[in-house]
Each structure stands twice: as C-alpha cells, then as structure tokens.
Amino acid sequence: MELLSYILEQAINGLQIGAVYALIALGYTMVYGVLRLINFAHGDIFMFGSFTAYFLISKWHLPIYLVFPITVFATALLGYAVEKIAYKPLRSAPRISLLITAVGVSLFLEYFLSLKGLFGPDYIAFPRPFDVRVFDLKLFSVTNIQLIIFSVTAVSLLLLYLLVYKTRQGRAMRAVSHDPEVAALMGINIDGIISFTFIVGTGLAGIGGILYAFAYPQINVFMGIMPGIKSFIAAVLGGIGLIHGAVVGGIIIGVLEVFVSAFLSSTFRDGVIFIVLLLVLLLRPNGLFGRRIEKL
Amino acid sequence: MLIKVCGLRAAYGAVEVLHGIDIEADRGEVLSIIGANGAGKTTLLKTIAGVVRATSGEIIYEEKKITNERSDRIVRTGIALVPEGRRVFPDLTVRDNLRLGAYTLRNRRLKKDLLDLVLETFPKLRERLWQHAGTLSGGEQQMLAVGRAIMANPRLLLLDEPSMGLSPLMTQEIFSLVRKINSEKAISMILVEQNAHMALEFSHRTYVLENGAIVMSGESSKVKSDPAVLAAYFGG
Ligand SMILES: Nc1ncnc2c1ncn2[C@@H]1O[C@H](COP(=O)(O)OP(=O)(O)O)[C@@H](O)[C@H]1O
Ligand SMILES: [Mg+2]
C-alpha cells in the first residue's frame, strides 16, 4: 500500500514534467516536419516564455488568464522573428549552415538576454499567482499545480489536434512535411506554412514555459537548455516529425526521469535520458512510431 | 493560344538539360511529348509548373508571362501538374489528398462539383475516400493523382508518365477516363510519355523530344506513321 501510493505519486510527478516536455517536444517535431531543421533555439524560447510570464505576474500583476495568451503571443512572435531573420535567408543553403545558425541563435538568445538590465544571469524566484494546495485522494495526492498543468496541456493538445487534423491550414502543414515540392504544386505557400509552424510550435513552448515555472519556481536565462535537450530526445524517441510521437515521448521521458530519481538516485537522472537517446539512435533511429528513415 | 513555350532552357547546376524548347497548345487540345528516358520530359513539365527554374526563354500562358513564377502561384493561374511517380500523400486519406488538390479554391459549390466530377470519373476512389492513400494500388494512386490535380479546377493539365508501372489494362482505363475529362470539360492537356504508342493514340498533336531538344512535331496520326518514329519507338 505504502509502496503503491509512492509509485502513483511519482508517476503523477513524472506526468507533470512529462507534460511540459511534450509541449516543448511538439515544437521540435513540427518544425523538423516542415523544415527538416532541429531548432536548437527552441529551449531558449521556452525560457523566454517563463520570463515573460514572470514579468507579467510580478511587474504588471496581470491575472493568470491574461498571462497565458500574452506569453503565447510573445514566444510565438519571437519564434516567428527567429525564423524570418535567421533561418529564412538560408532556405537554399546547405543543411549544415542551418544547423550551425540554429546553435548560434540559441547562444545569442542565452547570452544576450543574460545581460544586466535584460533577464540577467542570476536565478530569480518566480511568484506563483496562486497558493499551492494539495488534494489528498486516499491512494495518492495531487497539487493544484499538477491539475493546472494537466488541464492546460490537455486543452493545448486538443486544440493542436483540431488544428492539424481538422483544418485546411493543418492539412497544408501535413502536406508540406510529407513532400514540400508537391505541396507547393497544390498551391500551398511553403514559406507561409513554415512561419505558421514556428508560431504554433513556439507558442506551445511558451505554455510549457509558464507551466514549468509554476512547478519549479526558480527561473534563469539558461534554464531552457536541459528541458530543451530532454524534449528534443523525447521527440526523437517518439519519432521526429510525428506529433503523437512527441507527446508520448515527452511523457515517457518525464516519467522515466522521475522514477530514476525516486528509485535509483537523482544523480543518474539526466544520464539515463542520454542513454535513452543512444539506445534509440542505435536500435530504433526512427523512434517508437517512425516508419521511414529521414536523413537530417 | 493557351500556352506558348519559347526557347526554353533549363539546367541542373551547370548541366543544361533543356536546350531551347518551343511548344504551343491551343485551348482544348491534347498534346503529347514523347522521348526516351532522360530526354528531359519531366524537366520540361516541372519548368512549366515552376518547380525547376528556366535559365532562359519564356512561358506564356493565357497571354501572361509565367516564366519562373513560384509553383504555388502557377496553380492559381490554372495549370495543374500530375507528377511523375504519382506522389500522392501516403499518410493522408484519399479525401484529404483531394481536398489538398482544391487548396487554392474558396468556392464551396465549385469544390463540391469538382469532387463529384472526380468521383464520377474514378468511382474506385469513392470506395476508398477514408483510406490512407498509401494503401491504394498503383492504378488507384494514379487515379488519385489525376483527381487531385483536377480538384484545382485547371484549364491546363500536365501529366507526367501516367502509365509508369501500370499494367496495359490499367493504363488503357486511365487514359480513356482522362480523355473523357478532356472532351467533357475542355481541359487542355500536355502528356509526357515513354509509352509512345499510348501517347500517340491519346493526343491530337505530338512533339518528339531527344536530348533536351524537339526533333519533330505534328499531328499525332502523322507522327505515328513517320519512319524515323517507327524505327525509334516501335522497333520497326
Ligand atoms: N534533380 C536532378 N538533378 C540533376 N540532374 C537531373 C535531375 N533530374 C533530372 N536530371 C537529369 O536531367 C536529364 C533529364 O531528366 P528528366 O527530365 O527526368 O528526363 P525524362 O523525364 O525525359 O526521363 C537527365 O539526364 C537526368 O539525369
Ligand atoms: Mg521523367
């Protein structure tokens, strides 16, 4: 009984972080789908989301229902700008130039924003706009933070599903990720879809940034690096380019990480995730749900 | 004149593949372009459709210059390409493939009429509307590729080797259905084929393409009986 409720509790903790990884992983996977690019700056856009929420809450005292849309707008705008300024001019350049640029954008965002007067280099306490409450459900307990994370993630995933699978724009996104040349022959403006995909993906990262800061209320300009890498691994685990793969991958990575901390040692937490990456690349390079081999 | 191609040149990198092509098609006309593998047939259609850049020359469609327009704009002018190897979207349903074909259209009524036309022409697609396109047979995929292009409501249809990989029977069937669309809907067509026999049967006029240059053209019935063509394409 003791053990069972401990396991359940850890599973819930895993789902909590896994949901955030899923939200970030979606951006990696969708951008990869339409541009065949790993957007290394994606974790930094997630960080930008946490900071935007921080400013909106602590400096502007905005209510939570405004924090979400404004933060999403801010990260989506940053994602759109990064694509326009850094990636679009390289559309016909060799893929390696694009990858190097992505690393450059990531470093730029981190070190530029760490300047004094901007986000600064230090850890900042993130003020939750609500008090933490714990609900005891006999076998296990959940916090209101977890309930917020689960419900916001669920609504985001539902909206994303409707967008991708039920709208004309979503069909166009899927067509571009399958075969951009033929998609263009259908009359789809490829650059428009790429911009749109960046907006959606980085908007989701913004939501992830808010939720992450609710759960771990210490923010820092380099905070996007580890969740960014883990979410990228989650996207690869699920099969890069696949939306459901990113969601399942994110949850697996989150639960795995929490279980390793709980039952082995938190020292191994990050190491195990990298071992997962190695195993996936060795045994199933297309990920759990991937079929085709796609070259980077 | 529906389309006029003048002195069209195209290259992949430094290698020129089309060395100054001149062709033209009237409204309602079916043109075929025959030539061996590697002659440049696909490149010619791709250049018209805006997928490959022309290095020089002009493409005039309905009195407007469309040379090197982006391919998503060219579809909007009324030219649809059925690409070589079909290239349907395998993970999308047949229905979604067809809806993507009509991506540029806003008029619901028109889209519905086009869908009806496609499903009446290719009844096999109606049975498979909710299936992933990747699960279709080669012939059905070819029908879908043609149907998808028809959904764009084109006035000019470019067909790149629709017979590729299909049985003679299936090829016959597809050609006669496509021919029906041409005569009933007055959609002009440029058909590119290695299967010279089918192409000559199917078209009003034929151009013979060799190594990136047009070496002969004329009424398909005349081209069919030309000794050089007979020797090159019918082994006699
Ligand atoms: N993407 C490409 N890159 C480089 N060369 C190409 C490419 N596509 C075709 N070619 C070359 O261009 C020539 C014409 O090809 P293509 O237009 O496909 O001929 P066809 O359709 O008549 O078989 C061939 O020599 C082929 O090797
Ligand atoms: Mg060809």
Side-chain angles (χ1 to χ4, degrees):
Chain A
M1 214 49 194
E2 280 286 274
L3 183 65
L4 178 63
S5 63
Y6 183 64
I7 291 176
L8 281 175
E9 206 125 310
Q10 295 307 323
I12 301 233
N13 289 335
L15 275 179
Q16 162 180 298
I17 184 68
V20 175
Y21 290 160
L23 288 171
I24 309 174
L26 282 165
Y28 278 109
T29 229
M30 289 165 63
V31 163
Y32 181 85
V34 295
L35 202 52
R36 297 296 183 265
L37 162 75
I38 303 301
N39 177 20
F40 285 109
H42 194 62
D44 305 301
I45 291 172
F46 155 82
M47 171 275 290
F48 188 80
S50 296
F51 272 88
T52 306
Y54 164 78
F55 286 116
L56 294 175
I57 293 167
S58 72
K59 303 276 190 269
W60 294 47
H61 308 289
L62 290 186
I64 188 167
Y65 62 85
L66 287 180
V67 170
F68 274 97
I70 297 176
T71 302
V72 167
F73 180 79
T75 51
L77 191 66
L78 178 62
Y80 175 81
V82 162
E83 197 280 319
K84 261 287 189 279
I85 297 167
Y87 302 148
K88 191 163 176 211
L90 297 173
R91 206 64 98 226
S92 52
R95 181 133 298 147
I96 189 76
S97 317
L98 206 58
L99 277 175
I100 293 168
T101 305
V103 174
V105 170
S106 170
L107 293 173
F108 170 78
L109 289 176
E110 287 161 16
Y111 287 92
F112 179 70
L113 291 173
S114 73
L115 291 175
K116 287 255 162 39
L118 294 167
F119 296 174
D122 304 320
Y123 271 93
I124 302 173
F126 182 95
R128 289 192 192 103
F130 51 82
D131 296 324
V132 180
R133 293 179 51 194
V134 181
F135 304 99
D136 200 350
L137 303 176
K138 290 244 161 46
L139 211 48
F140 57 90
S141 58
V142 286
T143 64
N144 55 346
I145 298 176
Q146 289 168 331
L147 293 179
I148 291 175
I149 291 182
F150 297 150
S151 46
V152 170
T153 304
V155 170
S156 307
L157 293 182
L158 179 69
L159 291 177
L160 180 72
Y161 171 82
L162 293 176
L163 171 72
V164 173
Y165 290 98
K166 300 290 169 198
T167 69
R168 176 173 175 270
Q169 192 81 347
R171 262 196 304 284
M173 283 168 75
R174 285 184 289 153
V176 171
S177 88
H178 282 304
D179 189 340
E181 189 176 296
V182 176
L185 287 169
M186 304 292 108
I188 295 166
N189 175 353
I190 305 292
D191 284 336
I193 292 296
I194 290 172
S195 286
F196 181 74
T197 305
F198 266 85
I199 287 171
V200 174
T202 52
L204 290 169
I207 296 174
I210 305 171
L211 298 179
Y212 189 83
F214 283 174
Y216 310 93
Q218 293 284 324
I219 63 171
N220 171 271
V221 76
F222 299 106
M223 66 180 273
I225 299 175
M226 268 326 255
I229 293 175
K230 288 178 185 169
S231 304
F232 164 64
I233 293 173
V236 173
L237 171 64
I240 190 94
L242 300 174
I243 286 180
H244 57 292
V247 175
V248 175
I251 289 169
I252 292 178
I253 295 288
V255 171
L256 182 67
E257 161 178 324
V258 168
F259 272 53
V260 168
S261 301
F263 297 99
L264 286 171
S265 150
S266 59
T267 351
F268 297 138
R269 194 188 61 189
D270 297 342
V272 166
I273 306 302
F274 286 99
I275 292 174
V276 169
L277 177 64
L278 286 177
L279 288 179
V280 171
L281 292 179
L282 282 174
L283 303 176
R284 240 190 119 81
N286 303 321
L288 295 175
F289 302 104
R291 273 176 292 151
R292 283 164 306 183
I293 306 251
E294 299 272 19
K295 273 185 275 177
L296 239 183
Chain B
M1 192 60 53
L2 183 67
I3 187 168
K4 194 170 156 71
V5 173
C6 309
L8 190 70
R9 292 174 182 270
Y12 295 105
V15 186
E16 191 177 84
V17 172
L18 299 180
H19 315 291
I21 303 280
D22 299 291
I23 59 171
E24 51 184 60
D26 270 325
R27 245 165 250 282
E29 196 173 26
V30 177
L31 225 61
S32 67
I33 296 169
I34 59 175
N37 190 12
K41 305 181 296 297
T42 296
T43 306
L44 174 57
L45 290 193
K46 281 188 168 181
T47 312
I48 296 174
V51 178
V52 170
R53 283 188 67 78
T55 47
S56 73
E58 282 201 333
I59 304 165
I60 318 269
Y61 172 72
E62 293 183 337
E63 277 77 57
K64 282 192 296 286
K65 206 177 138 211
I66 58 160
T67 329
N68 290 335
E69 271 283 1
R70 274 189 357 220
S71 49
D72 58 300
R73 299 228 173 99
I74 288 182
V75 201
R76 286 165 209 270
T77 68
I79 301 179
L81 171 67
V82 180
E84 181 177 270
R86 319 183 237 288
R87 299 194 39 195
V88 296
F89 299 106
D91 295 345
L92 269 62
T93 60
V94 168
R95 182 163 172 270
D96 277 352
N97 271 274
L98 292 173
R99 286 161 98 186
L100 276 166
Y103 183 81
T104 56
L105 305 181
R106 291 291 188 175
N107 183 334
R108 278 162 180 272
R109 171 91 229 170
L110 174 62
K111 281 194 270 193
K112 185 168 179 316
D113 290 346
L114 287 165
L115 186 63
D116 288 343
L117 168 69
V118 168
L119 296 181
E120 272 158 32
T121 313
F122 305 113
K124 282 186 184 150
L125 295 182
R126 191 190 293 278
E127 299 160 26
R128 310 236 183 278
L129 271 183
W130 301 98
Q131 240 166 278
H132 283 190
T135 65
L136 302 186
S137 72
E140 289 163 349
Q141 288 193 15
Q142 189 63 63
M143 292 176 188
L144 178 57
V146 174
R148 184 177 65 180
I150 297 289
M151 290 299 291
N153 196 26
R155 291 181 296 285
L156 176 61
L157 191 64
L158 309 176
L159 294 152
D160 195 345
E161 301 219 32
S163 75
M164 187 188 268
L166 301 186
S167 69
L169 209 65
M170 183 55 83
T171 306
Q172 277 287 354
E173 182 179 347
I174 288 182
F175 272 83
S176 68
L177 294 173
V178 170
R179 189 68 213 233
K180 199 168 137 239
I181 296 177
N182 161 255
S183 52
E184 287 173 11
K185 299 292 157 189
I187 298 176
S188 312
M189 300 184 178
I190 300 181
L191 165 75
V192 145
E193 266 296 345
Q194 271 191 72
N195 185 338
H197 179 72
M198 281 307 306
L200 288 162
E201 283 297 320
F202 178 76
S203 58
H204 304 122
R205 281 192 308 120
T206 293
Y207 292 84
V208 181
L209 185 65
E210 260 174 36
N211 297 320
I214 300 288
V215 294
M216 186 195 304
S217 67
E219 303 275 318
S220 298
S221 51
K222 300 237 176 64
V223 173
K224 203 166 14 182
S225 50
D226 185 278
V229 171
L230 282 175
Y233 296 98
F234 300 101

